[in-house]
Amino acid sequence: MGVCRDCQELTDVEQAIETVINQFHCYAVKGQKEYLTPNEMRELVVQKLPHLGKVRCVGPLDEKIECMGDPDEAKLEFGEYWDMMGDAAKGSVGPVSRIPPGLGERGISV
Amino acid sequence: MADCTELEWAIQVLVNNFDKYSSRCCCRKPRRISKKDFRKMLSCELNHMLTDTGNRRAADKLICDLDENKDGRISFEEYWTLIGGIASPIAHIIRQQEQSIKHTK
């Protein structure tokens, strides 16, 4: 496969990819790391994307989660999760829409 | 960004990486990565995850398939899909490895 996970000194990009994967695995309890339920996905967005998820993308991400079907039964696979992270990322592309400096956990109430 | 979560950091790294390798052909158009720079990005930034030439060929094919408008340049959406294509099999491998560890215990 050519995928070497045991190597030390991964680049930032590789570490970032691993982080995104690990978060999926952490929350995919019911699906045993194979899929997230909409409820698990919502929990992940609220807890792990407090800035990206709330400030910019709460509308689109929430709507998407609503459309997934039964909150405890529907299956959200890794590819769909990745696409949603892409939507959150798009919110942070470009200098205008970048996260304002100093916007803390409580800064969201603004 | 000091108080961002690990996941937000990760997304920001991937966004910054796109910015690093992409350029504009004119100021009104969104940034894109050329195929040449994309290959450079793969070998500089993903050299542990994509180690052999087979993967390199697979990456070439991915670039061709992804470049829907055939302008030879990769948009942010195309870039994100491509990284997802690399991440998805890795996620699968991690899960399988963890399962096999459980079974052998």
Side-chain angles (χ1 to χ4, degrees):
Chain A
M1 201 44 209
V3 177
C4 172
R5 291 193 49 244
D6 299 320
C7 295
Q8 297 298 305
E9 294 178 39
L10 292 178
T11 66
D12 272 359
V13 173
E14 289 169 328
Q15 278 179 34
I17 293 173
E18 287 223 348
T19 301
V20 180
I21 294 171
N22 287 341
Q23 299 290 331
F24 177 83
H25 285 165
C26 280
Y27 281 82
V29 178
K30 194 172 184 197
Q32 296 184 330
K33 304 194 175 188
E34 214 167 325
Y35 60 84
L36 291 167
T37 65
N39 272 343
E40 287 169 338
M41 181 69 201
R42 193 187 302 276
E43 214 175 305
L44 187 152
V45 169
V46 169
Q47 292 176 0
K48 300 296 176 183
L49 297 175
H51 308 98
L52 292 178
K54 274 191 185 172
V55 177
R56 239 173 302 285
C57 306
V58 68
L61 283 191
D62 247 13
E63 271 168 39
K64 274 197 180 166
I65 294 170
E66 289 290 321
C67 295
M68 280 166 192
D70 191 317
D72 283 313
E73 295 300 326
K75 295 176 183 177
L76 175 72
E77 287 180 0
F78 184 81
E80 296 165 83
Y81 159 77
W82 185 268
D83 289 345
M84 288 185 75
M85 292 304 116
D87 291 339
K90 262 183 269 176
S92 62
V93 175
V96 180
S97 54
R98 251 186 234 295
I99 296 173
L103 178 63
E105 299 284 329
R106 290 185 205 95
I108 295 159
S109 60
V110 176
Chain B
M1 283 299 284
D3 54 0
C4 70
T5 67
E6 216 187 338
L7 185 58
E8 287 175 329
W9 168 84
I11 289 174
Q12 200 65 51
V13 166
L14 295 172
V15 170
N16 291 349
N17 185 56
F18 178 81
D19 288 346
K20 184 172 160 189
Y21 288 91
S22 61
S23 57
R24 292 173 200 276
C25 53
C26 82
C27 60
R28 291 199 179 174
K29 290 195 175 160
R31 300 174 71 89
R32 286 170 185 272
I33 307 181
S34 69
K35 281 189 190 182
K36 191 171 141 245
D37 287 338
F38 194 82
R39 244 172 244 130
K40 198 164 94 187
M41 191 274 281
L42 288 182
S43 61
C44 292
E45 311 291 347
L46 291 163
N47 54 335
H48 303 96
M49 283 183 173
L50 299 170
T51 45
D52 62 35
T53 47
N55 275 323
R56 190 115 316 154
R57 238 174 268 141
D60 274 348
K61 194 179 174 300
L62 273 173
I63 296 169
C64 273
D65 292 348
L66 269 174
D67 183 21
E68 281 170 11
N69 54 5
K70 301 289 169 207
D71 65 352
R73 289 161 67 82
I74 294 153
S75 68
F76 182 78
E77 285 78 6
E78 291 169 330
Y79 159 82
W80 195 266
T81 306
L82 202 122
I83 304 287
I86 294 166
S88 180
I90 295 172
H92 190 68
I93 291 166
I94 294 174
R95 186 161 49 86
Q96 279 185 334
Q97 282 176 346
E98 283 175 1
Q99 274 169 355
S100 66
I101 290 166
K102 263 183 218 160
H103 284 304
T104 51
K105 268 181 188 168

